Amino acid sequence: MLGGSWIAMYMPAILATTELACQAQIDGGDWVSLTAAQAEDLEAIMAQIIPSDDSPGAREAGVIRFADLALDSFLARMKPAVLEGLADINTRLSSARTSVRFSELNNADQIAQMHQIDRTPFFGAVQFMTIAGFLSHPKHGGNQSEIGWQHIGFNDQHAWQPPFGYYDRPYHEGPDQEGGGDE
Amino acid sequence: MSELKNHLAKVADKIDRKRYSKREEVDFVIIGSGAAGGTIARELSQAGHSVVVMEQGPYIKMQDFDHDEYNTIYNQDWFGGWKGEYPQTFRRHESQKAEVMDFLPPLLYGRMVGGSSVHMTANYWRFHESDFNERSILGPIAGTGLEDWPISYEEMEPYYTKVDWDVGVSGAPGPFDAYRSRGYPTPPMPIKSSGAILEAGARKLGLHPHPAPMAILSKPHNGRAGCVHCGFCMLFGCEVGAKSSTLVAMIPEAEASGNCEIRADSTVIRITTNTSGRADGVLYLDRDGNEQTQKARAIILSANGAETARLLLMSTSNQFPDGLANSSGNVGKYLMFNGLSYAYGVFDEPLNEYKSIQVTRVIHDFYETDPKRGFYGGGGIDARFFPGSPILYAQLGMPPDVPQWGKAFKDALGHNYTRTVAMNGHTTSLPLASNTISLDPTIKDVDGRPAIRVTYNDHTDDISTMRFLQDRSVELLEAAGARKIWKTPVGPSTIAAHLLGTARMGNDPRTSVVDRYHRAHDVPGLFICDGSSMVTSGRGQPTMTIQALAFRVSEHIASFARNGDL
């Protein structure tokens, strides 16, 4: 499996986040709406949407855990279409040879498949779950170690004080600033 | 939200609150606890009257609010958590069949104590003087219901000032403002990078940026805390009570009077009238879905521009076969949303717009209608970060040329989130008799009420105004030095948070529903005061005017009560 050497490179980070992903599981380790094979394939698609490269991606953030829990609860209406979409991809891959699944393809072949599906409603649903799994609060199962938030530069600190960003900084410097800004 | 609903249900009966017996005739039943209803409740209960506020949503408190974007926005906690249970239908024109809008309803409003004032952006713009008499200034506009208001800015000014001080608005006078009798109680909110960028662009173009008046406390006031700039403002409840929702600014004072009961989880399904046609009470569903009644000397309807129209249309009788207070046929008509336009820019350095409130600077240089442009309308432009919460941003906020997946998507997400600003145009909407709230003939909600049916299409002048402000927004971004600029297409509205015009004020009972004191022309004992009262839409940010109307009507109602003239 392609992942082997790549996993070796990122081993410490992935181990850490995998442990946290496990801790986030509500019922301690079993998939609730997916089979293990479906989870592998779905996670592989999600990992193409937000790849792991020079920084962690969907896989490390545990988006598959978000998806699994969501498809059993507030996104249950998406579940039939998602499972059908996964089955369709694998059926298409397997027609020319014995059973092949998306997650077993090499990276280039996965990307070729992504171009085939990226205008379908199935892709739209998976893309939404990837984004939501990457950026929602970790309590929903994804965004582990706040990997998603760190990627976009968002910080869930409860309170802030000015200056907030680069362009307002000049307004908040100086001896007579008392939180009133430019009056 | 179901966990929250369960928790609230368990604690609700344990809270020691004022409760009136349902068999007792109170002075006033107020339907709705939002910007209007909450304000009227405070005023009348402080004046010594017995008041029951009927609120269909739950009584969620400050400390229950959180920063969970997924639950608040995608599981619709910001509406009160009732996802899927209150369908709305939508069509452009009455010749079409209205369809259920599944994912996001066309009308966005809070269903909780405090109503939409809980999740509002809190832009609070006073009308200009011209907003009250544009028909006299510009002349009638054929094919529209453009009318003057029956009141003027001069009459409203003391109540706008009361909103500033009693509700809590931070700001400083702007160069185009109408006169004001008093300054703001708290200074403008500290400027954000979006505001700095708007200033830089505006000054280059010779425009006049000024601090945005915001119903958010920049400093402690009236015993409430100042803003902590948490960044979860618009669409979220404020857990420190700095955003001036009626939940924290008005309702606690109403309850403290000892005269006001907030009766949450109580869905009014009918306003009842006695044999002489006087409004005398309400029929409502309690938390368990059982029908209950509450009698009152007078009824005040403040349920928002959509719910108010629906309730009137549901409250039919032999005397009112087309709905209560609807002898004119105008109930539900002249629905106005305000127009919106969006332009976006990415800058080189981080703005970090995810911090603090939405808006710190606005320009009103294009506020007034300029007949030379060839169309009615005007508005304001603000700089903000919408969509700004992380998931919403990743879905809707990225430049249109970024692919939906892969390294380019990931890189753009990582680079742009902290470097993006939006310029929003907020415009007028013309009042059209064809834009309406009506009862859906087939779809019902979970309480058995006919679903709210929206019929809406913007006048071509509204589209022109939106495009005009969008073009100005792009110029501002260019002048400010944006690295990349894009805009979302301007088209007819499909979604709205401003629900206006559907039971409008007027001196002529043929073209309005309530008089200058918000009395229904044809129903004694019934006052209607909320967004439905508005004759013209203003330039966005209607809550300020709605709340000023609420303070004003409260003063008059108290006076009528003293004179035995309810």
Side-chain angles (χ1 to χ4, degrees), chain A:
Chain A
M1 182 169 156
L2 173 76
S5 56
W6 170 87
I7 285 175
M9 233 191 307
Y10 291 96
M11 182 72 106
I14 290 173
L15 272 182
T17 58
T18 306
E19 278 166 6
L20 283 161
C22 289
Q23 282 164 20
Q25 291 168 22
I26 287 169
D27 45 357
D30 296 327
W31 301 107
V32 298
S33 54
L34 304 166
T35 65
Q38 287 168 335
E40 277 178 11
D41 290 331
L42 185 55
E43 184 178 48
I45 295 173
M46 295 172 123
Q48 288 295 346
I49 293 172
I50 302 181
S52 311
D53 38 37
D54 48 358
S55 64
R59 203 180 290 271
E60 295 75 36
V63 301
I64 187 61
R65 181 57 63 192
F66 170 91
D68 181 51
L69 295 170
L71 288 170
D72 190 55
S73 58
F74 47 79
L75 291 180
R77 63 188 160 82
M78 277 185 180
K79 185 174 167 186
V82 169
L83 298 188
E84 193 181 316
L86 287 172
D88 283 349
I89 292 175
N90 291 340
T91 301
R92 217 179 38 249
L93 291 173
S94 302
S95 61
R97 57 183 104 168
T98 50
S99 169
V100 173
R101 293 189 290 117
F102 181 90
S103 54
E104 293 164 338
L105 299 177
N106 65 33
N107 193 46
D109 288 345
Q110 286 191 3
I111 288 175
Q113 285 301 311
M114 290 295 290
H115 283 293
Q116 299 271 309
I117 65 167
D118 68 0
R119 282 176 180 51
T120 63
F122 163 74
F123 171 82
V126 175
Q127 202 251 12
F128 172 71
M129 287 195 296
T130 306
I131 287 171
F134 197 62
L135 296 172
S136 58
H137 194 284
K139 75 182 189 191
H140 294 298
N143 189 18
Q144 288 303 299
S145 300
E146 301 189 1
I147 280 171
W149 289 345
Q150 282 171 29
H151 179 70
I152 64 174
F154 171 79
N155 182 329
D156 189 27
Q157 182 172 310
H158 177 83
W160 299 97
Q161 285 298 316
F164 302 116
Y166 178 87
Y167 301 93
D168 61 85
R169 187 176 303 273
Y171 289 84
H172 301 298
E173 288 161 355
D176 57 347
Q177 294 303 322
E178 214 216 328
D182 179 41
E183 295 172 314

Side-chain angles (χ1 to χ4, degrees), chain B residues 243-308:
Chain B
K243 184 157 69 173
S244 301
S245 66
T246 54
L247 177 68
V248 299
M250 294 282 105
I251 291 192
E253 296 182 3
E255 291 181 307
S257 72
N259 296 325
C260 180
E261 176 188 347
I262 304 296
R263 197 173 293 173
D265 301 299
S266 298
T267 302
V268 177
I269 56 174
R270 185 175 179 81
I271 297 172
T272 59
T273 50
N274 65 16
T275 47
S276 32
R278 182 185 172 83
D280 68 350
V282 295
L283 183 67
Y284 68 98
L285 303 176
D286 66 16
R287 183 178 299 122
D288 302 314
N290 297 319
E291 282 190 8
Q292 307 287 353
T293 56
Q294 179 68 54
K295 291 277 186 224
R297 291 171 56 204
I299 308 296
I300 301 165
L301 178 52
S302 301
N304 81 44
E307 291 277 12
T308 281

Side-chain angles (χ1 to χ4, degrees), chain B residues 122-403:
Chain B
N123 271 305
Y124 262 41
W125 300 356
R126 294 189 181 194
F127 269 17
H128 292 187
E129 289 167 278
S130 59
D131 280 300
F132 291 95
N133 62 346
E134 276 185 306
R135 183 183 160 125
S136 292
I137 294 171
L138 301 169
I141 300 179
T144 77
L146 182 67
E147 296 288 344
D148 288 342
W149 289 63
I151 56 178
S152 64
Y153 179 83
E154 186 180 352
E155 285 183 70
M156 284 285 277
E157 200 285 326
Y159 305 103
Y160 276 132
T161 298
K162 201 162 162 70
V163 175
D164 284 341
W165 286 83
D166 289 20
V167 174
V169 181
S170 300
F176 302 103
D177 287 0
Y179 69 91
R180 48 191 306 127
S181 55
R182 211 177 163 190
Y184 287 89
T186 46
M189 294 289 289
I191 193 171
K192 298 176 66 176
S193 284
S194 51
I197 281 167
L198 179 59
E199 283 208 350
R203 291 200 171 123
K204 248 193 184 161
L205 298 174
L207 303 174
H208 305 83
H210 55 98
M214 303 296 287
I216 298 170
L217 300 180
S218 57
K219 296 197 180 309
H221 178 68
N222 289 350
R224 287 165 42 213
C227 177
V228 297
H229 310 284
C230 75
F232 285 85
C233 194
M234 182 183 71
L235 307 185
F236 291 82
C238 179
E239 70 268 33
V240 304
K243 184 157 69 173
S244 301
S245 66
T246 54
L247 177 68
V248 299
M250 294 282 105
I251 291 192
E253 296 182 3
E255 291 181 307
S257 72
N259 296 325
C260 180
E261 176 188 347
I262 304 296
R263 197 173 293 173
D265 301 299
S266 298
T267 302
V268 177
I269 56 174
R270 185 175 179 81
I271 297 172
T272 59
T273 50
N274 65 16
T275 47
S276 32
R278 182 185 172 83
D280 68 350
V282 295
L283 183 67
Y284 68 98
L285 303 176
D286 66 16
R287 183 178 299 122
D288 302 314
N290 297 319
E291 282 190 8
Q292 307 287 353
T293 56
Q294 179 68 54
K295 291 277 186 224
R297 291 171 56 204
I299 308 296
I300 301 165
L301 178 52
S302 301
N304 81 44
E307 291 277 12
T308 281
R310 169 168 61 173
L311 183 57
L312 292 172
L313 294 171
M314 284 171 62
S315 300
T316 53
S317 63
N318 289 336
Q319 190 178 2
F320 293 101
D322 298 321
L324 190 64
N326 200 20
S327 319
S328 64
N330 291 320
V331 169
K333 289 187 180 156
Y334 305 113
L335 177 64
M336 300 173 287
F337 285 166
N338 293 128
L340 277 172
S341 69
Y342 299 88
Y344 299 90
V346 177
F347 286 75
D348 288 339
E349 302 294 338
L351 286 72
N352 299 329
E353 286 296 302
Y354 65 88
K355 302 179 186 177
S356 193
I357 65 173
Q358 278 289 300
V359 179
T360 55
R361 288 295 184 273
V362 297
I363 62 155
H364 281 174
D365 293 72
F366 308 111
Y367 189 102
E368 302 292 339
T369 297
D370 180 358
K372 289 199 293 296
R373 290 183 207 142
F375 49 86
Y376 166 88
I381 297 174
D382 66 39
R384 57 165 77 198
F385 187 34
F386 180 80
S389 47
I391 304 169
L392 208 56
Y393 172 81
Q395 263 202 303
L396 301 174
M398 296 245 270
D401 58 348
V402 171

